[in-house]
Amino acid sequence: MSTQSDDDKEDTSGRPTKAVVGSHRDEEEVFGKAYDPRIVRRIWSFVKPYQSRIFISVAAVLVFTLTQLAIPLVIRYAIDHGMTAGRLDQSVMIAAIGAFSAIILINYAASYVQESVVGKVAENVLSDLRRAMFSHLQRVSLSFMDKTEVGRLMSRLQGDVNSMQEFLETSVMSVGDIVLLFGIVSVLLWLDFRLGLLTLSTMPVLFIVRLFWLPRAKVAFMAAHETNSIANGALAEGIHGVRTVQSLERQHVNFDLYDEKVLANLNAHLTSAKYAQVMVPIVDTLTGIAMATVIVVGGSMVLSHSLDIGVMVAFLFYIQRFFDPIRSLTMQYSVMQRAMASGQRISEVLDVPVDVSDRQGAVALSRDMDGSVEFRNVTFGYRHNQPVLKNISFRVNPGETVALVGPTGSGKSSSMALVHRFYDVWSGEVLVGGHDVRDLTQDSLGDQVAMVLQEPFLFSGSVLENIRYHKTSASREEVVRAAQAVGAHDFIENLPDGYDTELEQRGGNLSLGQRQLISFARALVADAKILVLDEATASIDSYTEMLIQKALITLLEGRTGLVIAHRLATIRGADRIIVLQNGEIVESGNHEQLMARKGLYARLYTMNYASFDDISEGELEPDAAVGKAT
Amino acid sequence: MNTQAIGGAPERGKSFAHVAEASWGKGLSTLLRIVRMTLRHPWQVAITIVSTFIAATLQLFIPRLLGRAIDQAQGVMAAGAGAAAEQALWNTALTLLVVSILRGLFTMAQNYYGEAVGHRTGYELRLAFYEKIQRLSFAYHDRVHTGDLITLGLLDLDGVRMFFSTGILRVVLLGVLIGVGAYLLISTDLVLGLLSLSFVPFVAWRSSVTQLALRSTWLTLQERLSVLSRVMDENLGGIRVVRAFAAQRHELEKFDRAKLSALELADQRVDIRVSNTSAMNFSFLAAMGLVLWFGGQKVIAGQISVGTLAQFLTFMTILQMPVRQLGLMVNSFARASTCGTRLFELLDAELDIEDAPGAKDLVVTDGVLRFDNVGFRYEGAGGRPTLSGISFEARSGETIGLVGPPGSGKSTIAHLIPRFYDVTSGTITIDGQDIREVTLQSLRKAVGVVQQDAFLFTTSIENNIAYGNPWARETRIGQAAEYAQLHNYIIGLPAGYTTVVGERGASLSGGQRQRLTIARSLMLRPSVLVFDDSTAAIDAGTEQRIRAAMKRFAKDRVTLIISHRLSSLMHADQILFVEGGRIVERGTHEELLALSGRYRALYDLQLRPDDDRPVVAGAIPGKVETGFPGKSA
């Protein structure tokens, strides 16, 4: 009680010192080098299958650009040879219109081919790229997956792949821009060298202006983008945590903090709008100067008959298209930088080594194998020099159920993972059905060893699909039988659409206990000889718990079972108990034997923990005052 | 739009489905409301619209000036001396330059202020949205999917925000360009004028139809992409299950199916877009060809000058872009009306739980919590009420235990005390004050609920513990953590109290999360503290140490423990067995055991398998003797 008096009066008038809303993930590098040959080669290997289509589209882009270049020339021809005083000629007009019509038709076709082919190739390439990454991730080592946040991988599969798409689409278009730029320059110089040179002199000005503008503008654009994602993150957090916010009365504090973030975003947007818009009068002024030049210089030349009027008209037409390619080409530079950064990250994913793969001549584990599991002097760890399992040996006989028990970090889960060859051992061997797992094909191993994980992971889809996840060929009857056997049938029948009820993401519309039962049914349908099971730690209400215990018995019937047990009932039901501590087997035997030994197991048991997890190592030492962090 | 991240849009739930396409009347009133919101920045709106007018008008002068220059160069208009002709050219050129510069400046103003108005409106909307979301009751949040709310706050809000610049301003721009432009052209030459405008209706129609088609397929595409990203996300999240069942091939097939369906639609969209672009190009060039031919004839016949012809042709090139974008304008209207309708529906939603008029702050004196014949029914849940006839009383220092089968209504009782939901009958009072008549803020400060499914914010442990009292001093935070038996764990972490936890932070075990939530609730020093099944993942030993620690100041509060683990609540002063929304048994542990009813049955069920073990509670040797705050020392 004494605590309430002295520090009770916090000053709540000022800005809260311990409050933030939203979290911000450090943005990954957005821009890379503008050109990295290694990455370009890598990406090119995905474009290569569509090589011929790319050539077609580049050709179409060229044709399209040429038709655009030709139109003012046709107008010029019509004016100068068909309608100037003294040169009125209907046949020229007919020729001009004929040429114009032909150009329109070609333009139509080229524009269609160009955009459609590029668009589709880009869609296909990105789809292939995504699939290659996805399928590679199916094979990479689990230790990579353990270390890597799913969100981060997803952003590579999505954001990075999308920015490659943008790059592919725009780079074909930039070919057109380059051609247009050089086309306009050469046509102008060809029509009249002196006037052309004068008019074109505005072009480098824009180039220089943009060179100065771009880096600053990019910073402003990035800031707008970043503050936006910060504000959105805060909003998402506010929505997800709304119940907590309300129950702790944090609305006012959060509103003020959110206001700050949204205001920062508003200001960043306004700044970036300034940068974007300041180019408009500059380009318009330069265009004005170029047109004024043509009017004054070109006009006087026309007056002195040293220039055809049609050429002047053509000049004016070209000037209006003049600055577009420069604008998009300078933008393309940023697109390219961004694509290189994305390409780099995509390559990283594709380059993650595959540690565990079928060796040459691996054999399939036959269905008739005896179903034994044996560890022989197994040493294994995730980090160099930090073994998690140290020289472990034990054997689970066919049909036997063995419970693995021990505090967190003792190596139980690692042993389980090794049976499935999620990782390869450092030394020693793991045998399933008498074969070293490294000599077996992974598919056949997966067929014969079913696994139930602590966190029952379900996929979106119907209950039926989830239960026959492993064996898609299983009939509805088989599924129902399995569900009945594990006691899941009743609640499934009570779902809105019974077995066809669609589960929300990760089975969100079911309780933990129900998900657990479905994952049991799933393992039962898989009908493997060996069952590896990690019991759920979170406690479930007693009613469901009873169902689960019964289901477990059904599930283990006639199978070899290796169970990471947390519940006393399960542990006591096992044929044998192996107690692990710090990666070593410290005790083994059945419940009575172990109790009689009065060792670690007996101590854990009398300490009466609901589960053997969540016990820190420190607490295992009777004298230790404070447990160390688990 | 094609840069939209795939799967960016979460699936739309049923809750907003009825406003998927708003009716005309409703759509119109939504648009008007957006306009009114925009008008909250009258000066900026005025500047934008005036600038748009001026910029568009100036732009219309450019073809005229060019035409005049060409005529001047040809000597048509100034047939006089060379010097005068040159002077005329200079005049035209300078005028053109000035017009161009002004047009640029006004366009800049138009675009900048247009965006500024949009962003400011967006800013106001975002705040209003956030504020509303935070105040809407639990019942609302139960009903509406979080993914939908996020879509609403991001995508729909954007649709409303951009209406001014992509909708309204385009109308002004096109109105001036086509209206004034048409007048100028037709008054110059009727036939050529009509011919130069001939592409407008076709392009406008094509572009609108296409944009609407793209819009509807866009939604479908987003859905398909979100299926694809769900396949990937689940696969990567559940990679152990996938590998455990050797289901990689199956997963790749799922991926391919999702990929293919998205790809097909994406290709279709390319087709829609491309056939539109090329058709628009074609009709524009065809109109140009017609103008060239008939204009040429007129020039030959001496009816018009080459300059006039050039004027028509350049005018067409100026008009081309805005007309092509007409589809975007149509799209902007459609988008703003549906998005706006959805958004305003939320902003207008009535708050079903708010302060009563003239509500006073709750004053806790004796700390007596009383349920008087309380009944409750969840909104939309037909049939049986969730709770009925719940009555009990608890005073400071007492502990009430609530137990019962899943779905019996235990948690609902907990949620009624801080008014997460309002009772449908009966009353709940604290020291005689009906909780509906005091301010929400004072009530919720006085009632702490330790939730079952704790939400941790992605920030430091320290900030999380101080969430309800962000001004708290470090010593108090440390103390709360100590009570919750978390302090030792925290100081063992490399970054200690500043370690970032939550979705993107270090992962905590279920038990640690729950302990952190307990510490968080303790920071508020509530007069009523409810544990809503919030120790399920904490082992019995730690749980007892937590209770022992809290016992020290438990005499100042009412403690309510909801648990399905009997060892958590068997020492309560009063245990209520809840079933089917009613209290079916009540009494102390011993009384209930003696009753040989449901409580007894549950006790047997939980403890039978281990009946050779020492009695559950207080079994940690040498650590805690007995441990219940309620048993006042």
Side-chain angles (χ1 to χ4, degrees):
Chain A
M1 291 324 301
S2 60
T3 55
Q4 295 217 352
S5 52
D6 54 337
D7 58 357
D8 202 29
K9 291 174 202 63
E10 278 103 8
D11 176 20
T12 56
S13 57
R15 193 193 151 88
T17 46
K18 303 255 181 319
V20 288
V21 290
S23 62
H24 188 54
R25 191 202 294 264
D26 295 335
E27 289 276 336
E28 294 182 275
E29 202 60 49
V30 183
F31 296 107
K33 276 191 281 184
Y35 183 79
D36 183 335
R38 211 171 39 83
I39 293 164
V40 171
R41 265 199 300 279
R42 186 97 202 212
I43 301 303
W44 176 248
S45 66
F46 284 92
V47 181
K48 208 152 191 272
Y50 305 96
Q51 208 171 5
S52 50
R53 290 214 250 164
I54 291 282
F55 287 137
I56 291 175
S57 69
V58 170
V61 168
L62 290 179
V63 173
F64 179 76
T65 312
L66 290 178
T67 58
Q68 284 185 307
L69 276 173
I71 286 170
L73 288 177
V74 173
I75 295 173
R76 184 246 149 167
Y77 172 75
I79 291 175
D80 284 344
H81 300 280
M83 40 182 125
T84 353
R87 277 195 280 184
L88 302 173
D89 190 343
Q90 278 298 351
S91 62
V92 168
M93 284 304 288
I94 292 168
I97 285 301
F100 201 90
S101 312
I103 288 171
I104 295 178
L105 288 174
I106 296 170
N107 175 285
Y108 180 71
S111 132
Y112 192 93
V113 172
Q114 145 203 297
E115 282 203 47
S116 141
V117 173
V118 173
K120 288 182 186 170
V121 167
E123 293 283 358
N124 275 295
V125 168
L126 108 138
S127 188
D128 292 352
L129 205 53
R130 190 173 282 144
R131 189 181 195 282
M133 290 163 78
F134 183 73
S135 97
H136 186 69
L137 287 173
Q138 302 305 305
R139 296 187 299 125
V140 302
S141 75
L142 266 184
S143 27
F144 170 79
M145 299 299 285
D146 293 342
K147 309 196 276 270
T148 314
E149 219 184 305
V150 172
R152 208 147 263 231
L153 287 177
M154 288 298 285
S155 91
R156 291 178 185 208
L157 280 161
Q158 303 191 319
D160 287 330
V161 170
N162 283 342
S163 76
M164 292 309 300
Q165 180 190 17
E166 187 192 1
F167 170 65
L168 287 176
E169 279 184 353
T170 54
S171 45
V172 175
M173 297 303 162
S174 352
V175 173
D177 283 326
I178 293 173
V179 174
L180 188 63
L181 187 63
F182 284 100
I184 290 177
V185 170
S186 2
V187 171
L188 288 188
L189 292 178
W190 169 69
L191 282 173
D192 189 285
F193 190 77
R194 206 164 60 94
L195 185 60
L197 217 52
L198 261 177
T199 319
L200 290 172
S201 60
T202 49
M203 225 181 227
V205 177
L206 183 65
F207 247 123
I208 292 163
V209 168
R210 281 192 76 94
L211 275 184
F212 277 98
W213 170 85
L214 197 62
R216 290 169 181 78
K218 204 153 77 179
V219 171
F221 296 159
M222 285 300 301
H225 174 78
E226 204 163 316
T227 50
N228 195 40
S229 68
I230 291 175
N232 290 346
L235 174 69
E237 184 193 85
I239 293 175
H240 285 302
V242 67
R243 289 176 175 80
T244 308
V245 170
Q246 290 194 3
S247 66
L248 296 171
E249 273 298 316
R250 255 280 284 251
Q251 292 94 318
H252 297 291
V253 174
N254 282 3
F255 182 81
D256 292 343
L257 295 171
Y258 181 70
D259 189 357
E260 274 172 28
K261 304 217 157 169
V262 186
L263 191 64
N265 182 225
L266 171 66
N267 290 329
H269 270 303
L270 293 180
T271 311
S272 92
K274 267 178 210 153
Y275 272 104
Q277 294 309 323
V278 77
M279 281 313 288
V280 173
I282 294 176
V283 170
D284 276 357
T285 305
L286 288 174
T287 314
I289 292 174
M291 289 199 286
T293 312
V294 172
I295 290 173
V296 172
V297 180
S300 338
M301 287 165 77
V302 174
L303 277 177
S304 60
H305 298 287
S306 53
L307 188 78
D308 288 336
I309 184 72
V311 174
M312 181 176 162
V313 174
F315 259 83
L316 292 174
F317 268 98
Y318 283 122
I319 289 169
Q320 291 179 29
R321 292 296 316 275
F322 216 50
F323 296 106
D324 293 354
I326 300 179
R327 211 174 338 189
S328 44
L329 280 174
T330 41
M331 271 303 169
Q332 178 65 12
Y333 184 75
S334 313
V335 172
M336 237 166 111
Q337 282 181 311
R338 200 156 46 219
M340 287 302 146
S342 293
Q344 169 73 38
R345 286 192 289 269
I346 291 172
S347 307
E348 269 168 30
V349 171
L350 291 171
D351 290 343
V352 175
V354 176
D355 303 348
V356 176
S357 52
D358 287 353
R359 71 164 178 78
Q360 276 226 301
V363 294
L365 182 60
S366 116
R367 251 207 87 64
D368 318 317
M369 57 110 185
D370 60 8
S372 64
V373 175
E374 189 175 354
F375 276 55
R376 276 189 204 155
N377 307 98
V378 170
T379 299
F380 167 74
Y382 303 94
R383 249 170 280 162
H384 191 64
N385 273 339
Q386 292 179 18
V388 180
L389 293 175
K390 300 164 197 157
N391 201 21
I392 294 270
S393 300
F394 66 85
R395 181 179 157 88
V396 187
N397 296 317
E400 202 183 19
T401 298
V402 166
L404 287 177
V405 166
T408 312
S410 56
K412 293 168 300 189
S413 307
S414 304
S415 326
M416 172 163 149
L418 292 180
V419 176
H420 230 290
R421 205 185 162 209
F422 281 171
Y423 312 93
D424 274 340
V425 296
W426 288 359
S427 66
E429 46 188 343
V430 175
L431 301 144
V432 169
H435 299 274
D436 188 318
V437 287
R438 284 168 295 189
D439 297 334
L440 298 169
T441 60
Q442 292 178 82
D443 279 357
S444 67
L445 190 61
D447 281 343
Q448 296 311 320
V449 183
M451 203 170 212
V452 176
L453 298 168
Q454 196 174 75
E455 196 29 51
F457 193 98
L458 301 183
F459 296 87
S460 44
S462 67
V463 173
L464 186 78
E465 285 167 47
N466 264 290
I467 296 182
R468 61 178 183 206
Y469 179 76
H470 174 65
K471 201 169 145 195
T472 37
S473 59
S475 68
R476 203 180 174 91
E477 286 65 45
E478 267 177 85
V479 169
V480 173
R481 259 203 311 279
Q484 276 165 341
V486 300
H489 179 73
D490 289 343
F491 88 80
I492 296 174
E493 284 283 280
N494 278 329
L495 294 173
D497 296 310
Y499 282 85
D500 299 312
T501 308
E502 289 290 315
L503 296 184
E504 276 167 28
Q505 201 153 354
R506 302 192 179 177
N509 44 349
L510 298 179
S511 76
L512 178 65
Q514 290 171 331
R515 276 182 279 158
Q516 192 96 49
L517 288 178
I518 288 185
S519 78
F520 282 7
R522 176 168 71 186
L524 198 59
V525 168
D527 193 27
K529 270 243 164 87
I530 299 170
L531 181 74
V532 182
L533 185 140
D534 193 348
E535 216 173 10
T537 40
S539 79
I540 291 165
D541 68 90
S542 324
Y543 304 91
T544 317
E545 166 107 41
M546 210 168 56
L547 277 179
I548 286 179
Q549 289 299 340
K550 266 200 267 180
L552 207 53
I553 295 168
T554 317
L555 201 56
L556 287 166
E557 220 168 60
R559 273 176 245 280
T560 307
L562 188 61
V563 183
I564 299 182
H566 305 287
R567 294 175 201 288
L568 298 167
T570 317
I571 296 170
R572 297 185 50 206
D575 297 317
R576 199 147 43 96
I577 302 162
I578 294 177
V579 185
L580 285 171
Q581 188 181 12
N582 292 328
E584 284 168 291
I585 297 180
V586 289
E587 289 168 31
S588 125
N590 65 23
H591 177 70
E592 283 71 30
Q593 292 166 336
L594 291 178
M595 286 305 282
R597 264 185 65 129
K598 297 200 188 305
L600 177 64
Y601 178 83
R603 202 161 68 239
L604 285 170
Y605 190 78
T606 43
M607 272 167 88
N608 184 30
Y609 283 95
S611 117
F612 280 6
D613 272 1
D614 209 39
I615 304 176
S616 47
E617 288 284 329
E619 286 170 61
L620 294 173
E621 312 305 325
D623 304 323
V626 187
K628 252 189 73 181
T630 47
Chain B
M1 274 206 179
N2 36 11
T3 54
Q4 177 73 35
I6 85 158
E11 282 172 294
R12 196 161 279 293
K14 291 185 185 78
S15 41
F16 292 108
H18 61 286
V19 273
E21 287 302 327
S23 66
W24 277 103
K26 197 155 190 183
L28 195 65
S29 71
T30 301
L31 294 181
L32 285 176
R33 181 158 167 191
I34 301 176
V35 171
R36 276 203 304 279
M37 286 184 50
T38 310
L39 288 177
R40 263 187 255 169
H41 309 281
W43 285 108
Q44 302 201 358
V45 169
I47 294 176
T48 316
I49 291 188
V50 170
S51 305
T52 310
F53 250 100
I54 298 177
T57 315
L58 287 171
Q59 196 172 10
L60 287 172
F61 272 101
I62 291 175
R64 291 216 131 184
L65 289 169
L66 291 179
R68 187 193 296 166
I70 290 164
D71 287 341
Q72 285 165 342
Q74 260 192 321
V76 174
M77 286 170 116
E86 293 235 348
Q87 186 55 48
L89 281 174
W90 269 104
N91 287 344
T92 314
L94 286 177
T95 318
L96 184 75
L97 183 58
V98 171
V99 167
S100 294
I101 294 172
L102 286 178
R103 185 193 94 91
L105 291 173
F106 279 105
T107 310
M108 174 177 76
Q110 163 206 324
N111 291 348
Y112 175 74
Y113 285 105
E115 275 204 42
V117 168
H119 281 299
R120 281 181 209 281
T121 312
Y123 167 73
E124 288 160 3
L125 277 172
R126 278 165 122 178
L127 288 186
F129 181 79
Y130 189 81
E131 211 253 332
K132 189 74 182 194
I133 288 286
Q134 291 211 328
R135 291 177 59 200
L136 283 165
S137 69
F138 277 38
Y140 186 91
H141 288 288
D142 294 343
R143 208 167 54 230
V144 179
H145 214 273
T146 49
D148 280 348
L149 287 180
I150 291 174
T151 317
L152 200 60
L154 303 185
L155 298 182
D156 289 345
L157 200 140
D158 258 355
V160 174
R161 171 175 74 72
M162 299 194 354
F163 178 60
F164 182 66
S165 56
T166 58
I168 299 177
L169 282 188
R170 280 222 172 91
V171 173
V172 176
L173 181 68
L174 273 172
V176 175
L177 282 183
I178 296 180
V180 181
Y183 169 75
L184 288 176
L185 287 183
I186 291 174
S187 63
T188 313
D189 187 296
L190 181 67
V191 179
L192 283 191
L194 288 177
L195 283 178
S196 349
L197 293 169
S198 63
F199 77 102
V200 173
F202 177 75
V203 169
W205 170 74
R206 269 308 299 245
S207 132
S208 309
V209 169
T210 307
Q211 283 302 329
L212 292 177
L214 285 177
R215 181 176 149 75
S216 70
T217 50
W218 187 77
L219 294 176
T220 322
L221 182 66
Q222 289 311 308
E223 256 162 51
R224 295 196 185 174
L225 287 174
S226 78
V227 172
L228 181 63
S229 64
R230 198 173 57 214
V231 168
M232 296 191 289
D233 188 48
E234 286 188 349
N235 173 285
L236 299 175
I239 194 82
R240 280 170 184 271
V241 182
V242 173
R243 303 238 172 140
F245 286 101
Q248 286 98 322
R249 204 172 304 134
H250 170 60
E251 286 289 306
L252 278 175
E253 279 164 20
K254 273 210 297 205
F255 175 87
D256 284 341
R257 268 199 305 277
K259 177 193 95 167
L260 204 66
S261 90
L263 192 59
E264 268 170 18
L265 192 64
D267 278 355
Q268 269 177 37
R269 284 169 50 82
V270 171
D271 284 335
I272 297 177
R273 208 176 58 215
V274 169
S275 61
N276 176 52
T277 325
S278 34
M280 289 197 308
N281 272 343
F282 182 79
S283 72
F284 169 71
L285 290 177
M288 205 173 198
L290 288 175
V291 171
L292 185 61
W293 170 255
F294 286 103
Q297 295 302 327
K298 285 190 180 235
V299 174
I300 292 172
Q303 288 162 339
I304 60 167
S305 65
V306 172
T308 310
L309 177 61
Q311 182 193 336
F312 277 100
L313 293 173
T314 40
F315 181 78
M316 286 180 74
T317 49
I318 285 175
L319 204 56
Q320 191 199 181
M321 228 28 213
V323 173
R324 275 166 171 250
Q325 287 172 348
L326 205 118
L328 294 177
M329 183 190 90
V330 172
N331 184 32
S332 165
F333 271 77
R335 187 167 171 214
S337 82
T338 44
C339 294
T341 306
R342 275 197 289 261
L343 188 66
F344 294 143
E345 190 182 67
L346 178 124
L347 293 179
D348 297 342
E350 261 179 53
L351 294 175
D352 30 0
I353 293 186
E354 57 183 335
D355 286 349
K360 292 199 186 67
D361 280 354
L362 174 74
V363 185
V364 183
T365 47
D366 302 332
V368 180
L369 168 71
R370 200 177 139 83
F371 270 61
D372 197 2
N373 205 18
V374 167
F376 178 73
R377 186 195 296 265
Y378 279 103
E379 203 181 310
R384 216 156 43 84
T386 312
L387 292 177
S388 47
I390 303 284
S391 298
F392 66 88
E393 190 184 283
R395 46 187 66 246
S396 271
E398 279 184 348
T399 299
I400 303 277
L402 284 166
V403 69
S408 57
K410 306 176 301 253
S411 290
T412 309
I413 294 179
H415 287 169
L416 292 179
I417 307 174
R419 282 188 78 198
F420 291 157
Y421 303 89
D422 266 343
V423 297
T424 30
S425 64
T427 49
I428 301 173
T429 56
I430 293 175
D431 283 337
Q433 304 151 81
D434 189 324
I435 56 167
R436 282 168 299 184
E437 263 134 46
V438 297
T439 57
L440 265 182
Q441 192 175 357
S442 65
L443 176 69
R444 287 183 180 166
K445 292 246 180 223
V447 180
V449 178
V450 188
Q451 305 268 9
Q452 193 169 15
D453 211 352
F455 184 89
L456 293 191
F457 296 88
T458 306
T459 174
S460 64
I461 289 182
E462 164 177 75
N463 286 359
N464 263 295
I465 295 179
Y467 200 79
N469 181 2
W471 292 273
R473 294 188 197 153
E474 259 126 52
T475 47
R476 267 202 64 196
I477 297 173
Q479 206 166 47
E482 257 175 57
Y483 288 146
Q485 306 298 311
L486 199 59
H487 178 72
N488 288 334
Y489 169 72
I490 298 172
I491 54 171
L493 293 170
Y497 277 90
T498 54
T499 309
V500 174
V501 292
E503 259 181 328
R504 292 183 192 159
S507 56
L508 298 179
S509 77
Q512 287 158 348
R513 289 174 77 95
Q514 291 191 335
R515 280 185 266 166
L516 203 153
T517 320
I518 291 172
R520 183 162 76 185
S521 298
L522 290 178
M523 289 297 290
L524 290 180
R525 294 202 179 109
S527 308
V528 177
L529 183 57
V530 186
F531 290 90
D532 183 6
D533 209 358
S534 44
T535 53
I538 302 175
D539 66 83
T542 309
E543 189 187 351
Q544 284 194 0
R545 273 180 278 138
I546 293 173
R547 265 198 299 274
M550 281 169 29
K551 194 175 126 189
R552 282 194 279 162
F553 52 110
K555 68 166 185 278
D556 272 351
R557 75 168 52 112
V558 174
T559 310
L560 230 75
I561 298 175
I562 297 169
S563 178
H564 56 254
R565 189 155 70 194
L566 288 188
S567 62
S568 304
L569 47 74
M570 53 206 267
H571 286 81
D573 298 287
Q574 193 178 186
I575 298 169
L576 311 177
F577 194 103
V578 185
E579 195 177 286
R582 294 174 175 279
I583 298 175
V584 291
E585 290 174 17
R586 68 169 79 203
T588 61
H589 176 64
E590 289 72 22
E591 286 164 7
L592 289 176
L593 280 189
L595 202 65
S596 288
R598 291 178 171 86
Y599 183 84
R600 173 86 209 203
L602 184 64
Y603 179 79
D604 290 345
L605 181 69
Q606 281 192 16
L607 302 177
R608 200 187 310 126
D610 311 305
D611 47 14
D612 59 342
R613 285 198 292 164
V615 178
V616 180
I620 297 177
K623 286 212 169 154
V624 181
E625 296 302 320
T626 60
F628 248 79
K631 291 261 177 185
S632 43

